[in-house]
């Protein structure tokens, strides 16, 4: 997965776990914070990003209900950070975890209802 660059030289990496694993993943197995030199940072390095109790609850529920859920994208919008998970066979089988982001680099986990924030930019006509 491509990293999502955060203010202050921090990167949020998303990774997928092998499908053969029988246990439910933990947040740290899918989302990881690193510095510019790719040195892992503690979960609380960006408060509210990967350490929020509400995120842990939603992430656990997502993987408990959708056993094959896998992260397919991290996307930044104007005021949101989105973690897009494929939950089924169809391209429309998605669940989106979302955070509110502030201008100073602050993050606050919101919920797992971010499908409405996942807007595909309009296509371009090319001659």
């Amino acid at each position: 997965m491509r990293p999502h660059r955060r203010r202050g030289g921090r990167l949020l990496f998303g990774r997928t776990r092998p499908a053969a694993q029988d246990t439910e993943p933990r947040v740290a197995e899918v989302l990881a914070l690193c510095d510019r030199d790719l040195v892992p940072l503690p979960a609380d390095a960006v408060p509210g990003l990967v350490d929020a109790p509400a995120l842990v609850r939603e992430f656990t529920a997502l993987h408990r209900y959708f056993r094959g859920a896998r992260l397919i994208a991290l996307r930044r919008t104007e005021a949101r950070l989105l973690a897009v998970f494929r939950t089924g066979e169809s391209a429309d089988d998605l669940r989106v975890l979302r955070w509110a982001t502030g201008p100073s680099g602050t993050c606050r986990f919101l919920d797992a209802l971010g499908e409405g924030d996942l807007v595909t930019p309009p296509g371009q006509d090319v001659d």
Side-chain angles (χ1 to χ4, degrees):
M1 287 258 148
R2 295 176 62 156
H4 177 66
R5 188 171 292 279
R6 295 284 309 135
R7 291 181 187 258
R10 295 185 178 103
L11 302 169
L12 176 63
F13 282 92
R15 52 189 161 210
T16 56
R17 287 178 11 131
Q21 293 187 351
D22 292 333
T23 60
E24 293 174 5
R26 296 176 302 130
V27 172
E29 293 175 311
V30 177
L31 299 173
L33 284 168
C34 294
D35 67 12
R36 288 180 189 224
D37 297 321
L38 303 181
V39 174
L41 296 172
D44 62 355
V46 178
L49 185 57
V50 295
D51 65 341
L55 167 65
V56 174
R57 280 192 305 276
E58 289 291 345
F59 184 90
T60 301
L62 168 72
H63 285 88
R64 184 171 295 143
Y65 187 71
F66 301 104
R67 294 252 179 225
R70 63 193 181 281
L71 180 68
I72 59 170
L74 292 173
R75 183 175 293 170
R76 176 90 188 254
T77 66
E78 192 168 310
R80 301 272 190 262
L81 173 63
L82 308 173
V84 184
F85 289 83
R86 166 102 23 105
T87 58
E89 295 297 320
S90 169
D92 294 333
D93 294 337
L94 300 175
R95 181 64 55 101
V96 181
L97 302 180
R98 65 182 175 168
W99 293 259
T101 58
S104 63
T106 59
C107 289
R108 181 175 52 90
F109 180 73
L110 297 174
D111 52 37
L113 304 173
E115 290 85 357
D117 292 320
L118 190 63
V119 178
T120 305
Q124 303 291 322
D125 289 334
V126 178
D127 291 331

